[in-house]
Amino acid sequence: MSLQGKRAVITGSTSGIGHSIAVALAKQGCDVLLNGFGEAAAIEALTRDLAAKNRVKAFYSAANLATAAGVSSLIAQAQTDLGGIDILVNNAGIQHTSPIEDFLPERWDAIIALNLSAVFHAIHQVIPGMRRQGWGRIINIASVHGLVASPYKAAYVAAKHGVLGLTKVTALELATTRITCNAICPGWVRTPLVERQIEAKAKEQSLPLEEAAIKLLAEKQPSQRFTLPEDIGALTVFLCSEAAGNMTGTSLPIDGAWTAQ
């Protein structure tokens, strides 16, 4: 499954799922451009480590993807640093929980901007280059919440459902090319985003942190295990391979049987 010499942009990749995807692609020989938040020194160490361990090029963009201009900045830097884009992984996202009647409009706007609109803007901007080179992989990290809903997550669920619709449209428009577009739909993955939900449950129910984590799993994920970020990295590598060359428009759950219920 070597992807030697391919050039990948991974949004939201300074930690969690996105970072594991960047590591998995770098191990297969991809040059990578990271994007996300964090301390400058820590991010510099991440890119340096990725490059040295895998003998690839690794760069970082601090672009704010909440605006179309920010996405344009990211894609422009990728063209300069990497020389082109073969693989786009749309992973960046934020979360907020609240009943609909209390959901602040600015929170809704922020989640839709990053979790959905940024995905559109990035796809919109990479397709022409992928068409010219005759090959490309677009992978959208959605969620089980693109397939099913949970209360108090109106904006997140709406955005992730939108990502799956956008994935299908993109795949249909590119069906006769060698450019594919697929979505990965993780269940509970123990990332900083989910960690905050565990902490909130622990506080709300006066539970130890690990007991709150088990209760969170028990509510939705029959496997009773968190999906590992590395598992999502491995699935991303497969979708980039030639073995997945005719897989496009799919939404692949990796959710411990959450959506099988």
Side-chain angles (χ1 to χ4, degrees), residues 5 24 28 36 64 67 73 81 90 96 103 124 127 133 136 154 169 171 174 181 183 185 213 216 221 223 226 229 248:
Q28 296 300 319
N64 180 355
T67 67
S73 171
D81 290 347
N90 288 303
H96 177 68
F103 214 105
H124 166 75
I127 285 175
Q133 64 202 23
V169 172
L174 299 173
C181 183
C185 300
L216 190 75
Q221 199 146 298
S223 69
F226 287 100
T248 192

Side-chain angles (χ1 to χ4, degrees), residues 108-253:
W108 170 277
D109 291 343
I111 290 171
I112 296 300
L114 184 59
N115 294 25
L116 179 57
S117 295
V119 178
F120 164 77
H121 292 306
I123 292 172
H124 166 75
Q125 292 184 41
V126 301
I127 285 175
M130 289 182 175
R131 282 191 185 276
R132 285 192 297 272
Q133 64 202 23
W135 194 94
R137 295 289 188 267
I138 299 167
I139 298 167
N140 299 322
I141 306 304
S143 167
V144 290
H145 283 115
L147 297 163
V148 296
S150 292
Y152 312 123
K153 298 182 179 181
Y156 190 82
V157 169
K160 294 304 186 180
H161 273 68
V163 166
L164 296 193
L166 178 59
T167 298
K168 293 173 184 178
V169 172
T170 305
L172 288 170
E173 292 187 8
L174 299 173
T176 58
T177 73
R178 294 184 67 219
I179 306 165
T180 65
C181 183
N182 293 286
I184 296 174
C185 300
W188 290 128
V189 184
R190 198 151 184 181
T191 62
L193 195 68
V194 170
E195 198 66 36
R196 287 193 288 275
Q197 294 182 59
I198 295 170
E199 290 167 1
K201 181 175 283 293
K203 183 178 179 180
E204 177 188 321
Q205 300 184 14
S206 300
L207 296 171
L209 200 62
E210 289 310 307
E211 191 175 332
I214 291 167
K215 287 199 74 170
L216 190 75
L217 281 170
E219 289 171 6
K220 299 286 187 180
Q221 199 146 298
S223 69
Q224 299 287 293
R225 300 190 310 275
F226 287 100
T227 298
L228 299 177
E230 294 81 2
D231 298 338
I232 300 169
L235 182 53
T236 300
V237 167
F238 171 71
L239 289 174
C240 291
S241 73
E242 289 307 312
N246 205 33
M247 286 182 66
T248 192
T250 65
S251 302
L252 301 171

Side-chain angles (χ1 to χ4, degrees), residues 19 23 26-27 45-56 58:
H19 182 63
V23 169
K27 283 181 177 179
L46 283 180
T47 55
R48 188 170 60 244
D49 187 58
L50 266 179
K53 283 186 176 178
N54 301 290
R55 298 183 181 181
V56 298

